[in-house]
Amino acid sequence: MTTVDNWGFLRSTGRYFDRQMRVYMVDTFTQNKFRGNPTGVVLVDQSVDPDWMQAVATELNHPATAFADTSSPDAEPKKLRWFSPTTELTLCGSGTLAAAHILGGEQTFHTRGGTLSCTADSDGAINMRFPADPPRPEPQMAELTEGLPGITVRSVWRGRHDVLVEAESAAEVRALTPNPAVLANVAASLRATWPDLPMPETTTRPRQPRMKSIASTKPSSS
């Protein structure tokens, strides 16, 4: 962990941030250090400008960076926002998991995606309760064919935030070089699956995920 005294001037916002921030790097969805999803966690003690949060997330350059406002008493829900290097996220599992891990496991967060709760087990696992989002089938989009070259699209499913694409094989997914400019026209995040993975069932209630958070907090460089 590194505490960063961030009096530096941010050219993107033209503003100063005159408080200290605590920055962590956490490996999520793994039991091994330096595996899984590298996720940034920034703890702040006041509300901060979204442009500043985006600039920090871009600088850290992790798939997701979580910003937790710790100004409220410990027992009260905390405000939580997530940013990729390019944009703010509506819902983020790795960012929620990493923030709960740093803050001690038992947490409730107010987010753009709703109120999210986390509980901790004695073995270190963190259970996250996310809003149910059963996907529904929909017709194939031309943007997917152009934006996912080499993918044989078997079916397309859509939830509130994501589009799930079933490919012909795992090999197609591994060899994929997507076209981000075309996929930007798809109003959702994209996920991929293939025939030997289970497809979603719209008639059953999804189980609440139980996700393991390894205690692998790596020092970040200032």
Side-chain angles (χ1 to χ4, degrees), residues 148-152 165-178 191-197:
L148 302 172
I151 293 291
T152 304
V165 177
E166 182 190 9
E168 184 68 31
S169 68
E172 287 187 350
V173 177
R174 295 189 186 101
L176 172 65
T177 302
R191 315 287 179 183
T193 186
W194 48 91
D196 57 338
L197 288 182

Side-chain angles (χ1 to χ4, degrees), residues 96-113:
T96 305
L97 184 60
H101 170 68
I102 292 298
L103 293 170
E106 302 281 341
Q107 297 293 327
T108 301
F109 297 112
H110 289 321
T111 77
R112 291 180 65 189

Side-chain angles (χ1 to χ4, degrees), residues 57-201:
T58 301
E59 180 76 11
L60 293 178
N61 201 33
H62 294 312
T65 297
F67 293 82
D69 185 346
T70 61
S71 61
S72 60
D74 288 343
E76 294 185 6
K78 295 176 175 59
K79 295 179 181 178
L80 181 66
R81 297 173 75 164
W82 316 278
F83 289 78
S84 76
T86 59
T87 191
E88 184 169 8
L89 306 174
T90 301
L91 198 62
C92 179
S94 63
T96 305
L97 184 60
H101 170 68
I102 292 298
L103 293 170
E106 302 281 341
Q107 297 293 327
T108 301
F109 297 112
H110 289 321
T111 77
R112 291 180 65 189
T115 299
L116 309 178
S117 62
C118 300
T119 58
D121 291 345
S122 59
D123 64 354
I126 293 177
N127 301 281
M128 302 192 299
R129 294 186 64 85
F130 273 39
D133 185 18
R136 63 186 185 279
E138 70 170 32
Q140 182 174 333
M141 294 171 276
E143 292 85 353
L144 295 178
T145 302
E146 184 179 354
L148 302 172
I151 293 291
T152 304
V153 178
R154 293 169 57 98
S155 64
V156 179
W157 301 71
R158 179 182 287 276
R160 286 188 299 166
H161 308 298
D162 299 310
V163 167
L164 178 68
V165 177
E166 182 190 9
E168 184 68 31
S169 68
E172 287 187 350
V173 177
R174 295 189 186 101
L176 172 65
T177 302
N179 186 331
V182 174
L183 295 178
N185 297 317
V186 179
S189 301
L190 286 172
R191 315 287 179 183
T193 186
W194 48 91
D196 57 338
L197 288 182
M199 286 300 294
E201 291 287 346

Side-chain angles (χ1 to χ4, degrees), residues 29-41:
F29 305 120
T30 182
Q31 298 186 50
N32 301 304
K33 293 181 179 181
F34 308 108
R35 296 291 186 269
N37 289 17
T39 306
V41 178

